[in-house]
């Protein structure tokens, strides 16, 4: 198992996967020299020897001269801790930063004559990308060269701030030595022992908390654009609740508070898809627009297209969140953190300056590649209104039932696949950086089908689905949107489609009916979860909910015991019990929550109820 690999829902992680091949092909056509007047193989320049020298991460590398500029071959760079690959289908070469393994023995070029012609530059329709950003290149029939000043150019204030070019390099030129000292950004070392220890600390501690129903005035609220004052928007993808225009029946007999409709930047899409485009006037809802792109650098030449899309969405007069370039920590969008942040800021500035009512969401995957921490990609508070995550609860890592415990810890799968766990890393990141933003599960779900294993996984999946819809708003009151990815795709390693899962739908609907969910916007929820500890209840009935997490062991049930007498045992999340306070005498009473694990774990958590007339205060012992 390669711990540095990207990890999404499956092999593909976006909704319109049937369109991505077309999008990539279109992008390739747009970016290559397909319309050039040059004939393939024709001579378009010359390459010369030079006395200029260069070192890459302190190791000498040969240099040539092209059009009066120093250049290096990417084939040589491949020996310095980079991965070189070719795609004949898309007519492109990719060089991506890796790690330097072992000793690299480099050498300077040693020409006999300075300025001597070495070879011709030949025209080719093949484009060159370094860390997934296109760069001007020169081909001599054997090697592909890039100029050092292109590779290392800091041509934007953010490049200067970050200290790296869009390709993730910088350099200094030593006049005395006539040498470029090129430095490559390297992703953090894959210290799996350290990362595993961090995950253990994050996910391997028992947790228990008693909650009750508080006032909506108690809700966490940041005042962000489109943020509900209280409650969690019930969200679904735009075609996730059927499509009457294509004969697909509704799966839920109600509408939703948020519809998520995907736009493909590569295809220059501007309009909502079916059935949302037909039905949008019927809904009181938030629009969330995941705006997918395969190349961050497209944004600099396409302001007109972006305005067209934003104008079109704006005409519906719905509160709107644009989720641009998501899941960068599991895709090629994150190959150059500098290019990612720079491009994201460009889009965010355009939206904030020209469309002030539209919110911008930054949305990583819940568990990215281990060497791609979220901190590398955060654009900054002023560019972000919401923070989202793509979080999918899966039994196995990369469709491997034998992937083991470490993979579970690293990527929140298997025994560690619980609703709050998929938010643990982003919440940790936000706390460490004092980021106060509303949070969304911008794509989420629990695996419903595994083509490689057709066994019934309901016993594993159902409590996890409950944890997603009950535990998340309990533990993380910052979460204001949960979007279920109810979309079937033949390309997925795992499916999340609810079409043949009536019990799963019933679990979700139960949470919608009885939890703090918003089925339209604007609206108010029935209540807001608050911790019972320190809460003073007024009146006769005190609703109690239990959050119980036993690492690597499911909770079998929670019992409520008052003054030594068992009141009830609940076996399903959220373990709700309505305590009749009117039956209690004034004074102190002991309430014990007894937690049983499926493997025999037994724990008790004690509270004191101080009853005084019509009020009662709950205090954790």
């Amino acid at each position: 198992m390669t711990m540095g690999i990207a990890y999404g829902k499956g092999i593909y992680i976006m909704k319109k996967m049937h369109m991505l091949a077309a999008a990539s092909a279109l992008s390739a056509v747009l970016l290559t020299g397909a319309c050039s007047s040059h004939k393939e193989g024709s001579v378009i320049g010359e390459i010369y020897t030079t006395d200029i020298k260069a070192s890459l991460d302190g190791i000498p590398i040969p240099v040539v001269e092209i059009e009066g500029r120093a250049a290096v071959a990417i084939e040589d760079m491949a020996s310095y801790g980079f991965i070189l690959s070719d795609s004949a289908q898309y007519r492109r070469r990719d060089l991506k930063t890796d790690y330097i393994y072992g000793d690299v023995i480099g050498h300077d070029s040693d020409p006999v004559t300075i300025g001597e012609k070495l070879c011709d530059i030949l025209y080719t329709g093949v484009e060159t990308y370094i860390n997934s950003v296109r760069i001007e290149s020169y081909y001599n029939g054997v090697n592909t060269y890039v100029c050092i000043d292109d590779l290392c150019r800091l041509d934007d204030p953010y490049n200067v701030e970050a200290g790296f070019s869009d390709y993730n390099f910088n350099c200094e030129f030593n006049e005395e030595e006539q040498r470029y000292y090129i430095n490559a950004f390297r992703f953090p070392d894959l210290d799996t022992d350290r990362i595993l220890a961090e995950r253990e600390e994050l996910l391997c501690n028992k947790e228990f908390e008693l909650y009750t129903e508080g006032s909506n005035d108690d809700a966490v609220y940041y005042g962000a654009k489109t943020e509900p004052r209280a409650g969690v928007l019930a969200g679904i993808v735009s075609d996730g609740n059927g499509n009457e225009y294509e004969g697909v029946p509704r799966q839920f007999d109600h509408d939703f508070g948020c519809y998520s409709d995907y736009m493909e930047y590569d295809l220059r899409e501007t309009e909502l898809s079916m059935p949302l485009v037909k039905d949008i006037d019927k809904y009181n809802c938030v629009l969330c627009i995941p705006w997918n792109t395969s190349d961050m650098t497209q944004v600099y030449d396409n302001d007109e297209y972006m305005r067209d899309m934003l104008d079109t969405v704006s005409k519906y007069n719905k509160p709107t969140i644009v989720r641009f370039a998501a899941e960068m920590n599991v895709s090629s969008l994150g190959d150059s953190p500098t290019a990612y942040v720079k491009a994201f800021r460009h889009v965010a500035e355009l939206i904030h300056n020209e469309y002030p009512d539209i919110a911008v969401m930054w949305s990583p995957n819940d568990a990215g590649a281990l060497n791609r921490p979220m901190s590398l990609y955060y654009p900054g508070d002023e560019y972000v209104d919401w923070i989202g995550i793509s979080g999918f609860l899966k039994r196995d890592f990369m469709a491997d039932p034998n992937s083991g415990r470490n993979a579970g810890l690293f990527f929140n799968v298997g025994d560690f696949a619980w609703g709050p766990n998929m938010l643990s890393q982003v919440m940790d990141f936000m706390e460490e950086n004092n980021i106060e933003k509303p949070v969304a599960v911008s794509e989420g779900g629990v695996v419903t089908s595994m083509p490689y294993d057709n066994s019934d996984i309901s016993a594993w999946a159902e409590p996890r689905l409950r944890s997603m819809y009950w535990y998340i708003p309990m533990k993380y009151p910052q979460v204001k949107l949960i979007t279920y990815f109810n979309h079937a795709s033949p390309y997925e390693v795992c499916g999340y489609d609810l079409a043949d899962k009536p019990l799963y739908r019933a679990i979700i609907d139960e949470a919608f009916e009885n939890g703090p969910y918003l089925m339209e916007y604007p609206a108010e929820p029935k209540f807001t979860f608050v911790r019972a500890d320190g809460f003073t209840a007024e009146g006769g009935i005190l609703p109690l909910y239990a959050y119980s997490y036993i690492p690597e062991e499911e909770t079998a049930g929670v019992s409520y015991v008052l003054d030594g007498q068992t009141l009830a045992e609940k076996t399903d999340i959220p373990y709700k019990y309505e305590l009749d306070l009117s039956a209690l005498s004034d004074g102190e009473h002991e309430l014990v929550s007894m937690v049983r694990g499926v493997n025999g774990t037994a724990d008790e958590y004690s509270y004191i109820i101080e009853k005084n007339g019509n009020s009662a205060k709950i205090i954790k012992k």
Side-chain angles (χ1 to χ4, degrees):
M1 178 173 58
T2 304
M3 292 302 180
I5 65 174
Y7 176 55
K9 298 198 303 294
I11 294 177
Y12 298 100
I13 56 176
M14 295 179 181
K15 169 181 176 281
K16 297 182 179 177
M17 296 318 304
H18 63 285
M19 303 178 74
L20 286 188
S24 298
L26 174 63
S27 179
V29 169
L30 292 173
L31 295 173
T32 63
C35 297
S36 171
S37 59
H38 293 293
K39 182 180 179 181
E40 186 117 4
S42 60
V43 175
I44 58 173
E46 298 173 334
I47 297 177
Y48 296 89
T49 60
T50 179
D51 59 348
I52 299 296
K53 292 179 170 53
S55 295
L56 176 52
D57 283 339
I59 307 167
I61 187 170
V63 179
V64 299
E65 179 188 314
I66 298 175
E67 299 176 348
R69 299 190 295 164
V72 295
I74 62 174
E75 289 80 6
D76 288 337
M77 293 175 68
S79 301
Y80 291 67
F82 298 86
I83 298 173
L84 182 61
S85 62
D86 294 274
S87 172
Q89 180 181 3
Y90 299 121
R91 297 179 63 76
R92 61 184 279 174
R93 307 198 78 195
D94 280 271
L95 186 78
K96 297 190 178 186
T97 304
D98 193 33
Y99 301 97
I100 296 177
Y101 300 100
D103 295 329
V104 177
I105 301 176
H107 65 90
D108 290 321
S109 48
D110 189 21
V112 175
T113 305
I114 305 302
E116 179 183 9
K117 178 181 175 181
L118 284 171
C119 54
D120 292 321
I121 299 171
L122 306 178
Y123 173 76
T124 174
V126 175
E127 290 289 340
T128 300
Y129 288 75
I130 294 182
N131 287 320
S132 298
V133 179
R134 189 167 63 95
I135 189 170
E136 192 72 27
S137 62
Y138 308 87
Y139 181 62
N140 70 351
V142 178
N143 292 326
T144 299
Y145 292 88
V146 295
C147 292
I148 294 173
D149 56 355
D150 285 341
L151 190 67
C152 302
R153 182 179 296 119
L154 308 183
D155 58 356
D156 180 271
Y158 183 72
N159 293 119
V160 176
E161 177 187 336
F164 289 94
S165 71
D166 286 358
Y167 307 103
N168 266 348
F169 292 86
N170 63 35
C171 69
E172 294 182 3
F173 183 69
N174 186 301
E175 290 280 358
E176 183 178 346
E177 299 179 26
Q178 290 291 287
R179 181 183 292 275
Y180 285 97
Y181 283 92
I182 306 169
N183 304 297
F185 169 86
R186 306 279 179 179
F187 289 101
D189 289 339
L190 275 173
D191 184 348
T192 53
D193 289 340
R194 174 187 59 78
I195 298 170
L196 185 62
E198 291 173 353
R199 298 289 196 271
E200 291 264 7
E201 178 64 26
L202 206 56
L203 303 180
C204 292
N205 298 300
K206 286 183 182 179
E207 297 179 44
F208 182 86
E209 194 68 54
L210 209 56
Y211 289 87
T212 189
E213 298 175 4
S215 162
N216 291 332
D217 293 336
D218 297 323
V220 171
Y221 180 62
Y222 301 108
K225 283 179 280 190
T226 75
E227 178 190 1
R229 174 61 184 84
V232 183
L233 288 162
I236 198 166
V237 291
S238 60
D239 59 353
N241 195 24
N243 186 341
E244 63 178 293
Y245 308 99
E246 297 178 2
V248 180
R250 282 165 67 92
Q251 296 188 32
F252 296 92
D253 62 0
H254 52 76
D255 299 329
F256 284 76
C258 179
Y259 288 89
S260 184
D261 197 53
Y262 290 66
M263 297 282 186
E264 300 300 334
Y265 198 116
D266 293 21
L267 297 180
R268 305 297 185 260
E269 290 185 336
T270 60
E271 187 54 271
L272 300 178
S273 62
M274 292 280 280
L276 192 59
V277 68
K278 293 282 190 180
D279 295 339
I280 188 64
D281 290 339
K282 302 177 184 177
Y283 304 140
N284 296 318
C285 68
V286 170
L287 278 178
C288 183
I289 307 295
W291 209 0
N292 298 326
T293 180
S294 66
D295 181 356
M296 295 298 293
T297 61
Q298 294 184 75
V299 303
Y300 305 115
D301 300 320
N302 286 287
D303 283 1
E304 183 177 354
Y305 156 64
M306 291 194 287
R307 291 187 179 100
D308 284 347
M309 193 283 279
L310 295 164
D311 286 342
T312 302
V313 171
S314 296
K315 75 181 182 183
Y316 294 110
N317 296 314
K318 302 294 181 183
T320 300
I321 305 169
V322 169
R323 172 186 173 235
F324 179 66
E327 303 180 5
M328 78 303 298
N329 56 339
V330 294
S331 75
S332 61
L333 296 179
D335 289 342
S336 170
T338 303
Y340 178 85
V341 171
K342 179 179 166 183
F344 191 102
R345 287 184 172 188
H346 177 81
V347 173
E349 284 180 339
L350 185 149
I351 294 174
H352 286 158
N353 291 338
E354 300 185 28
Y355 302 86
D357 292 333
I358 294 180
V360 177
M361 179 185 289
W362 176 76
S363 186
N365 194 268
D366 69 322
L370 299 186
N371 58 350
R372 297 193 175 192
M374 295 175 187
S375 57
L376 293 177
Y377 305 104
Y378 187 61
D381 286 353
E382 65 189 284
Y383 302 95
V384 175
D385 301 304
W386 282 68
I387 289 180
I389 62 114
S390 294
F392 292 83
L393 302 179
K394 286 175 283 215
R395 192 193 67 182
D396 307 322
F397 174 71
M398 298 298 284
D400 178 9
N402 301 309
S403 51
R405 180 177 185 272
N406 286 4
L409 279 165
F410 285 138
F411 301 112
N412 303 329
V413 300
D415 287 341
F416 299 98
W418 293 97
N421 286 358
M422 70 184 184
L423 284 151
S424 60
Q425 292 179 47
V426 73
M427 291 299 188
D428 207 37
F429 165 71
M430 292 175 67
E431 183 177 356
E432 288 174 358
N433 293 278
N434 196 32
I435 298 170
E436 296 186 338
K437 306 282 183 182
V439 176
V441 179
S442 46
E443 282 186 16
V446 178
V447 63
T448 56
S449 62
M450 302 182 298
Y452 61 92
D453 181 350
N454 291 318
S455 59
D456 184 359
I457 60 170
S458 298
W460 181 91
E462 287 167 8
R464 285 163 169 82
L465 186 59
R466 289 180 174 276
S467 80
M468 180 173 161
Y469 278 94
W470 287 105
Y471 278 174
I472 286 177
M474 286 184 195
K475 184 174 182 180
Y476 294 123
Q478 308 96 314
V479 173
K480 297 297 184 77
L481 166 63
I482 297 178
T483 301
Y484 196 92
F485 190 85
N486 188 29
H487 181 83
S489 171
Y491 302 104
E492 296 287 357
V493 170
C494 292
Y496 303 90
D497 187 8
L498 298 168
D500 60 348
K501 298 290 182 179
L503 186 53
Y504 289 45
R505 295 197 301 271
I507 289 171
I508 295 173
D509 265 342
E510 178 192 3
F512 289 162
E513 177 65 24
N514 300 303
Y517 286 92
L518 303 177
M519 308 312 296
E520 61 178 4
Y521 180 87
E524 287 192 5
K526 298 178 179 68
F527 64 89
T528 291
F529 278 121
V530 294
R531 291 190 177 189
D533 182 27
F535 183 81
T536 298
E538 302 289 344
I541 300 298
L542 175 66
L544 296 173
Y545 301 81
Y547 171 77
S548 172
Y549 175 62
I550 309 173
E552 302 176 81
E553 182 181 357
E554 294 183 20
T555 298
V558 175
S559 298
Y560 295 97
V561 180
L562 182 67
D563 295 333
Q565 179 181 352
T566 299
L567 301 177
E569 179 175 1
K570 301 295 181 176
T571 56
D572 289 324
I573 299 170
Y575 310 112
K576 181 181 179 181
Y577 176 70
E578 294 185 335
L579 177 61
D580 184 1
L581 294 175
S582 64
L584 298 185
S585 60
D586 283 1
E588 290 190 354
H589 300 268
E590 184 179 44
L591 175 67
V592 177
S593 297
M594 304 181 67
V595 178
R596 293 185 297 105
V598 295
N599 296 331
T601 294
D603 294 288
E604 295 184 1
Y605 301 90
S606 297
Y607 296 78
I608 294 296
I609 298 177
E610 295 179 345
K611 177 73 182 303
N612 184 13
N614 198 43
S615 67
K617 186 173 183 179
I618 300 94
I619 302 169
K620 184 187 293 185
K621 289 182 68 176

